[in-house]
């Protein structure tokens, strides 16, 4: 397969024109191969998307510098129509020696004429060579990653979702395998919202993966390289597991909420209870929860287990608060914010904290991670409330108005009520009557409810950004990029229109 | 006094596991009792007694009046742990408190006095905990040993509470799914408060169970009980969605019974063993006991659904067959009378069909074979108990005997 892929990527045997190698403190180094632009262009036409990784037990061309580099991994990902990425990684210990002998530190190491890895015994010189044909020995999977644009990470804002999209698809695959059951109906119910197309925005896993990158600490020099790299890989896998667990808990709560609300649709498709009935939805929710608990236990970290178990409890408490609020509580902003924390922010905040703990960070840093998640979640929900009124335009009443029609009083109305006490009696009448909805919207339009909600959301977003800035300094470029992405994410949350 | 204290007392006085006469042992609350009358070992425990009198809710007496060796007469398993059970029940009621009143009343619905059920599972677990307790080595300081054992006991009680919470949560959800009206002799929660609150209350209990599990700080136990929850769901789904072929398979039925009934008991027995610090091998014996006990329980349950309190057929509630659930007796009868297959396929909405099936069942050996299978499982459960490591402690022997008696009770019960 490697052979085919290499030929596929380089059908005309055109040479690699340049290679860039980036050494980041404490991380496995990355090599970047550059084929000529025309070549990339040609390839992009043929390819839709894909990705993978090769572990090649062959000697590196550049191992002239490193005596005993035995393994090499090559990552590729071909993103539809946009770019072709090939990234080759050498395990750290080999490369560190490389660094030490060449640049004595960390930095960008670029060299030309770097040959594709599979060329065992290939000429180690500087001129480009042919793509070898024996690359397929001992290969299971391949990943390439070629950066087309070599902009420094700090210069342009990155799309937070794109930064982790590869990892997200790995997690998606793993999730699908984790919810397998021997009972077919249960299996199809459980995986209903994990199959491709129904995964949602995967907002929570994105936040968690970015947080994991933002918190990664460099391993001390004294630690042996193989140990360090396997340790980091293991840590990353555990953090990915948190993202999977979080998503399972989230979907379990969605399934039960849809049963409780008699919802017909979710994520653009029929809700599970609509398609397969209430019974199976309740069961599937329980099943996902149990699988999440088993996965949680496998992390063998009791504090993390405790954090996420608390989240489950909060989700239920929030839903109950919403369902059973008496008249006085429905009118209280504090009750609303508390309910919003339980229902939305608790999951994100506690799982961010769990990520920090798994990264080996101190309690103080974990609290910053927690604060980021909490404020991000609250900002998200507040904007969600606004959009329910305004929809994709800024004018009132164009939104779906589903909250108010279900009798759920959200922040804009609560703010409007402070300006117009007469809104109270309208709320008390209930909203089954469309005329009453209109009346409420009327008051809302006259008031500053929407603006004040947005302002509160911006306030929370700023608190989230502060939390990121409070994280301990790091020189690692990847860490800085991820932190920047987390900041950009807060902007996206505030500015989104749907 | 809690059992561990009593055990230490035994060890220091008689150098073994003999009967210890309690004439000079004074009730714990009498702090001013003349010290001369109290043996030295008890004096050492005075601190503990003093403290324990403050927390009077935890005190219970257990003075064996007859010092008959454990092997001579059977003990009522339920009576052996009844005091501890009431402690657990009280703790459960406080654990399901919520700041939202409606949720609190929903969650404690099946924990309030009168609606607690037979508390079968906690009984098994507490007996198992006592049957597996290991003597602490003499080298360990007495206070350390006693607090360690007390701590262990509390953790094992917690497993019993968690198990009961998981069980009730599954009952709440099952009643919603089945549209049941009554449970444990009172209205089912969904009947009384609506489906939504019942689903939510079940979720709430599950989440509280999760938090309690996390507090044990033992990830293997978390894993075991989380797996049990998954099995409960799997079993319920298997029951709900069987196609025609699976309906008729004995293996499918036994597998479903394991998931629905036996898995929770077996996995929590295993958890008890792990918390007791036992080896994996012993934990597996505990697991095996729970599994076989659960299966025997379910099989007899199926028989009773047909025969009820009399030994004759058709006097039972027949609720399984009326809901279209094919249980072991029918499956056995079908092996003898293949024409029963056609009757089953027609479904059981019509009472005439039910009568026809009962007819075949009566002619066949279905009931007897089911009972025989239950006895087989009970014997395996007893074998598992006998496979536990030897112990000289009389208490341990009493409790192991009680577990054996429990399996007899399961087989011979008539309701």
């Amino acid at each position: 397969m490697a052979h085919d892929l290499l030929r596929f990527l380089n059908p005309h045997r055109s040479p690699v024109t340049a290679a860039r190698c980036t050494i980041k403190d404490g991380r496995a180094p990355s090599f970047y191969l550059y084929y000529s632009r025309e070549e990339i262009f040609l390839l992009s036409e043929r390819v839709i998307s894909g990705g993978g990784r090769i572990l090649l037990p062959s000697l590196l061309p550049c191992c002239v510098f490193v005596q005993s580099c035995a393994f090499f991994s090559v990552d590729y990902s071909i993103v539809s129509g946009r770019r072709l990425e090939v990234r080759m990684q050498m395990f750290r210990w080999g490369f560190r020696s490389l660094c030490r002998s060449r640049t004595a530190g960390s930095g960008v190491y670029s060299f030309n004429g770097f040959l594709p890895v599979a060329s065992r015994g290939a000429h180690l010189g500087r001129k480009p060579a042919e793509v070898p044909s024996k690359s397929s020995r001992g290969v299971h999977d391949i990943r390439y990653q070629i950066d087309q644009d070599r902009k420094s990470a700090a210069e342009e804002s990155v799309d937070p979702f794109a930064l982790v999209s590869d990892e997200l698809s790995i997690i998606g695959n793993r999730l699908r395998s984790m919810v397998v059951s021997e009972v077919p109906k249960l299996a199809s119910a459980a995986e209903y919202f994990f199959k491709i197309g129904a995964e949602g925005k995967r907002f929570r896993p994105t936040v968690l993966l970015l947080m994991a990158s933002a918190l990664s600490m460099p391993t001390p020099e004294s630690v042996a390289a193989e140990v360090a790299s396997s340790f980091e890989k293991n840590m990353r896998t555990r953090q990915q597991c948190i993202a999977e667990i979080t998503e399972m808990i989230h979907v379990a709560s969605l399934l039960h909420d849809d049963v409780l609300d008699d919802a017909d649709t979710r994520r653009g498709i029929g809700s599970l209870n609509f398609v397969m009935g209430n019974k199976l939805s309740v069961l599937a929710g329980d099943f996902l929860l149990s699988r999440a608990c088993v996965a949680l236990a496998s992390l063998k970290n009791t504090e993390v287990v405790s954090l996420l178990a608390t989240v489950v409890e909060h989700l239920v408490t929030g839903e109950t608060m919403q369902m059973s609020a008496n008249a006085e509580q429905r009118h209280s902003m504090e009750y609303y914010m508390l309910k919003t924390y339980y229902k939305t922010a608790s999951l994100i905040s506690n799982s961010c904290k769990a990520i920090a703990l798994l990264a080996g960070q101190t309690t103080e840093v974990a609290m910053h991670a927690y604060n980021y998640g909490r404020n991000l979640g609250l900002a998200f929900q507040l904007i969600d409330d606004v959009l329910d009124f305004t929809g994709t335009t800024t004018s009132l009443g164009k939104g779906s108005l589903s909250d108010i029609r279900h009798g759920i009083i959200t922040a804009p109305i609560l703010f409007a009520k402070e300006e117009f006490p007469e809104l109270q009696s309208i709320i008390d009448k209930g909203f089954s009557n469309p005329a009453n909805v209109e009346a409420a919207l009327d008051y809302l339009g006259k008031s500053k409810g929407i603006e004040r909600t947005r302002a509160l959301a911006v306030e929370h977003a700023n608190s989230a950004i502060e939390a990121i800035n409070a994280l301990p300094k790091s020189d690692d470029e990847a860490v800085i990029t991820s932190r920047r992405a987390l900041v950009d994410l807060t902007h996206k949350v505030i500015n989104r229109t749907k």
Side-chain angles (χ1 to χ4, degrees), chain A:
Chain A
M1 184 198 156
H3 167 62
D4 291 337
L5 187 62
L6 281 173
R7 202 168 40 152
F8 179 72
L9 283 175
N10 195 352
H12 304 303
R13 305 289 174 101
S14 70
V16 178
T17 53
R20 178 167 87 107
C21 169
T22 314
I23 312 158
K24 294 164 195 180
D25 238 0
R27 285 173 61 86
S30 320
F31 290 99
Y32 295 81
L33 299 182
Y34 297 90
Y35 293 88
S36 63
R37 276 195 181 252
E38 304 87 69
E39 195 65 16
I40 292 173
F41 185 74
L42 266 170
L43 290 167
S44 301
E45 273 179 334
R46 281 201 288 269
V47 172
I48 309 296
S49 75
R53 162 179 291 166
I54 301 180
L55 270 179
L56 299 171
S58 60
L59 295 177
L60 267 183
C62 72
C63 90
V64 66
F65 306 109
V66 181
Q67 295 311 308
S68 45
C69 171
F71 273 91
F72 198 85
S73 85
V74 178
D75 296 347
Y76 80 81
S77 86
I78 305 163
V79 183
S80 168
R82 287 199 346 224
R83 62 183 181 190
L84 176 69
E85 295 176 2
V86 173
R87 180 172 61 195
M88 301 159 130
Q89 286 182 340
M90 199 164 81
F91 280 36
R92 186 192 325 276
W93 57 263
F95 198 64
R96 194 174 289 127
S97 321
L98 192 63
C99 281
R100 240 180 274 126
S101 56
R102 293 283 296 191
T103 62
S106 62
V108 174
Y109 178 75
S110 66
F111 49 101
N112 291 320
F114 177 71
L115 296 170
V117 299
S119 58
R120 187 184 276 275
H123 179 49
L124 297 169
R126 294 314 190 107
K127 53 180 195 290
E130 284 197 350
V131 177
S133 55
K134 285 216 176 50
S135 53
S136 43
R137 226 180 321 168
V139 165
H140 0 264
D141 46 358
I142 300 183
R143 267 174 40 165
Y144 282 5
Q145 189 170 21
I146 297 181
D147 271 354
Q148 210 160 342
D149 292 323
R150 279 189 270 139
K151 287 201 198 145
S152 150
E155 283 160 13
E156 66 177 30
S157 66
V158 282
D159 177 11
F161 293 95
L163 263 187
V164 293
S165 58
D166 296 332
E167 228 172 337
L168 275 181
S169 53
I170 294 178
I171 286 182
N173 289 335
R174 232 183 278 151
L175 269 171
R176 275 186 284 277
S177 67
M178 276 168 95
V179 299
V180 155
S181 158
E182 53 193 37
V183 182
K185 263 207 168 160
L186 188 60
S188 54
E191 62 154 29
Y192 190 71
F193 283 118
F194 293 112
K195 53 185 207 273
I196 302 187
E199 291 146 328
K201 299 182 290 297
R202 288 178 295 179
F203 178 70
R204 287 160 192 76
T206 303
V207 172
L208 295 176
L209 291 173
L210 288 173
M211 182 61 78
S213 301
L215 291 175
S216 60
M217 294 195 289
T219 34
E221 284 286 324
S222 53
V223 178
E226 316 82 73
V227 171
S229 68
S230 72
F231 174 75
E232 278 205 11
K233 184 162 181 269
N234 192 35
M235 182 191 289
R236 190 72 182 190
T237 309
R238 284 155 68 82
Q239 290 167 329
Q240 287 171 353
C241 202
I242 296 277
E244 289 153 23
I245 292 167
T246 304
E247 196 63 9
M248 277 194 283
I249 293 177
H250 174 59
V251 171
S253 73
L254 289 184
L255 289 176
H256 279 189
D257 283 356
D258 285 344
V259 168
L260 296 176
D261 299 335
D262 290 323
D264 287 343
T265 58
R266 166 73 74 178
R267 287 183 179 172
I269 54 178
S271 64
L272 186 65
N273 47 307
F274 186 71
V275 173
M276 295 195 197
N278 276 348
K279 303 183 180 190
L280 213 47
S281 297
V282 172
L283 285 176
D286 290 345
F287 182 72
L288 284 176
L289 199 57
S290 72
R291 281 287 155 98
C293 286
V294 172
L296 203 51
S298 74
L299 290 174
K300 301 214 182 299
N301 181 321
T302 52
E303 201 174 345
V304 166
V305 172
S306 203
L307 276 174
L308 287 172
T310 316
V311 167
V312 175
E313 191 180 353
H314 283 177
L315 283 172
V316 172
T317 308
E319 186 62 30
T320 315
M321 282 173 84
Q322 182 162 291
M323 240 181 72
S324 61
N326 61 32
E328 192 200 310
Q329 287 161 334
R330 283 170 74 196
H331 295 155
S332 153
M333 192 66 185
E334 279 149 50
Y335 188 83
Y336 169 78
M337 289 305 283
L338 186 60
K339 181 203 81 175
T340 304
Y341 169 71
Y342 281 149
K343 275 196 70 156
T344 312
S346 169
L347 182 59
I348 310 179
S349 58
N350 280 306
S351 39
C352 280
K353 189 173 177 188
I355 292 274
L357 292 175
L358 282 184
Q361 297 280 0
T362 64
T363 320
E364 197 194 335
V365 173
M367 280 316 290
H368 289 311
Y370 174 88
N371 280 331
Y372 174 80
R374 181 176 171 275
N375 285 299
L376 187 74
L378 289 174
F380 184 89
Q381 186 60 46
L382 288 165
I383 296 295
D384 215 49
D385 295 339
V386 167
L387 289 178
D388 195 60
F389 287 107
T390 62
T392 54
T393 75
T394 49
S395 53
L396 212 51
K398 291 288 161 74
S400 56
L401 297 174
S402 64
D403 285 337
I404 198 168
R405 290 212 187 100
H406 281 101
I408 299 171
I409 311 299
T410 56
I413 298 279
L414 289 171
F415 277 129
K417 190 168 67 64
E418 288 176 22
E419 293 176 52
F420 294 96
E422 45 276 32
L423 195 43
Q424 176 105 12
S425 49
I426 296 184
I427 297 174
D428 288 335
K429 276 194 237 158
F431 291 105
S432 358
N433 173 1
N436 223 21
V437 175
E438 282 302 317
L441 286 180
D442 199 41
Y443 277 110
L444 184 59
K446 288 190 242 171
S447 73
K448 293 234 169 276
I450 299 283
E451 290 83 356
R452 285 177 69 188
T453 311
R454 278 199 197 276
L456 184 58
V458 169
E459 210 180 291
H460 280 295
N462 287 336
S463 303
I465 296 175
E466 261 171 50
I468 293 297
N469 292 336
L471 293 174
K473 291 198 74 64
S474 166
D475 297 324
D476 189 322
E477 200 178 313
V479 171
I480 296 175
T481 311
S482 313
R483 292 183 188 185
R484 177 69 197 263
L486 286 172
V487 169
D488 290 340
L489 201 60
T490 60
H491 293 314
K492 275 191 190 299
V493 160
I494 296 292
N495 297 325
R496 69 188 175 110
T497 50
K498 60 178 177 71

